[in-house]
Amino acid sequence: MDEIKKLSAEYADYILDIRRQLHRHPEASGQEFETTKFICQELEKLGISHTVGYKSVGVVAVIRGNLPDDENKAIALRADIDALPVTEANDVPYRSEIKGMMHACGHDGHTAILLGAAKILTALRDKFSGTVYLIFQPSEENGQGAKYMMKQGDWYEKVSRVFGAHLWMDVPAGKISLEDGPRMAAGDIFSIRVHGRGGHGAQPEKTIDAVVVASALVMNLQTIVSRRCSPLDSAVVTIGSLKAGDTYNVIAGEAELQGAVRYFNLERGDEIRKLIEETAAHTAAIYGAYVDVDYSQRIPSVVRNDPACSDSARKSVTKVLGADVLTSVSSSMIGEDFSYYLDGKPGCFAFIGIRNPEKGLVYPHHNSQFNIDEDVLAGGAAVYAQVAVDWLAE
């Protein structure tokens, strides 16, 4: 539909302004109160019906086409809205104004894209039939938002497909990846509490050094992937935090490790959990210590693109941006709770490229210097709108 391409260009400044406004005012997962109010204000300006989640964060909006709809078709478009506890290092006019918080993953761009798509679809109500649900989801970073939004009304029961996307630094700016099959991994988190016996640094024989035990654990846990898993079956075990001790001459009696696990094979995930628990217990026992392991499934499912949905979405991308923007990239071990939506409904998840070395836009997600190529935002809005219209027309 040529109108979508034209409208996306016409609304480019609006989409850019939305992104920068959101970037200046990031909010943590579950605390997106002002962001939610801002989204509602924009939806009200567009005359779009919407409801706020029962925890006062997150929004479900509804756009209904004016053409006759005998089949009551409905699809959902999703954007996440939360930010991260990162102090921004970018020197830009729209730098974060909230101390210690930053949109360091691109969710401000996602929200701007979806509001842009809402503006486009509102202008085209007379050109399509069916219903488009706009899902502005909180708490993606802690993996809790998708399940929460699925409980907001009956939208999830009514839709036949779900579409989402992520601005992606591993993809050149303007390119879009929409491959079939697994795209993002399932993921768990764990903590291991080491219990030893503290004492004087000059009398190690009277202690059980929790620092030594924790250090051995870090090394031994690495062998789970390197020596206990098939190299053809991708998995990651990462220790992201190790805390122990208070001063230089006291042997620590306690230590705590925190880590993350990523995998595509769900059976492999269960095996890794058992291996972490066994490795921790056996390693501690060698030194006379013991451990408590707290293990939880943060995102227990994989973002897996339905072939029919991703094929249709690729055709939609070609309509508004041309076939040359389509590219192929490897799946990511990063987790995304969009997977919950795909557990019960067909759909797909796109990667929208934002990497642009000429503009210095090369820093990874969650980095204090992360930033996006804003030139891709209007095209992203066009893709969302085109996917919605095409899916409803099928």
Side-chain angles (χ1 to χ4, degrees), residues 38-240:
F38 176 78
I39 292 168
C40 290
Q41 290 170 0
E42 293 303 313
L43 293 171
E44 287 166 4
K45 292 176 186 177
L46 296 171
I48 298 174
S49 174
H50 58 279
T51 57
V52 175
Y54 62 86
K55 294 182 180 179
S56 300
V57 292
V59 184
V60 177
V62 186
I63 301 175
R64 291 185 172 87
N66 291 332
L67 292 181
D69 177 22
D70 295 332
E71 299 181 25
N72 295 314
K73 286 186 177 180
I75 67 103
L77 307 176
R78 176 267 207 170
D80 38 14
I81 68 175
D82 52 335
L84 287 158
V86 174
T87 299
E88 182 160 15
N90 294 314
D91 184 14
V92 291
Y94 49 90
R95 178 181 175 141
S96 171
E97 297 175 10
I98 308 301
K99 185 177 180 180
M101 289 299 301
M102 177 189 174
H103 270 293
C105 200
H107 297 187
D108 51 344
H110 302 166
T111 307
I113 284 173
L114 188 52
L115 281 171
K119 193 172 176 70
I120 294 170
L121 291 168
T122 299
L124 296 176
R125 283 182 191 266
D126 293 338
K127 302 292 181 69
F128 69 92
S129 64
T131 303
V132 182
Y133 288 95
L134 312 174
I135 312 303
F136 295 91
Q137 179 202 305
S139 299
E140 187 283 323
E141 293 293 351
N142 64 16
Q144 301 301 309
K147 291 188 293 184
Y148 164 75
M149 292 305 292
M150 290 166 70
K151 299 175 183 177
Q152 310 306 316
D154 59 358
W155 71 268
Y156 188 70
E157 298 172 15
K158 291 181 176 180
V159 301
S160 58
R161 292 184 179 183
V162 186
F163 178 79
H166 206 302
L167 298 172
W168 208 242
M169 190 56 73
D170 292 338
V171 179
K175 298 291 186 179
I176 296 178
S177 162
L178 265 163
E179 284 87 354
D180 302 343
R183 305 304 295 141
M184 302 184 82
D188 307 335
I189 58 176
F190 64 89
S191 65
I192 302 173
R193 187 78 183 181
V194 178
H195 303 283
R197 183 170 62 244
H200 200 292
Q203 296 178 309
E205 75 281 4
K206 297 181 179 181
T207 71
I208 299 174
D209 192 338
V211 172
V212 171
V213 179
S215 299
L217 271 172
V218 171
M219 300 306 296
N220 290 344
L221 289 171
Q222 303 309 305
T223 65
I224 290 175
V225 172
S226 67
R227 289 297 177 269
R228 305 294 293 277
C229 295
S230 167
L232 301 178
D233 195 359
S234 299
V236 172
V237 175
T238 296
I239 303 299

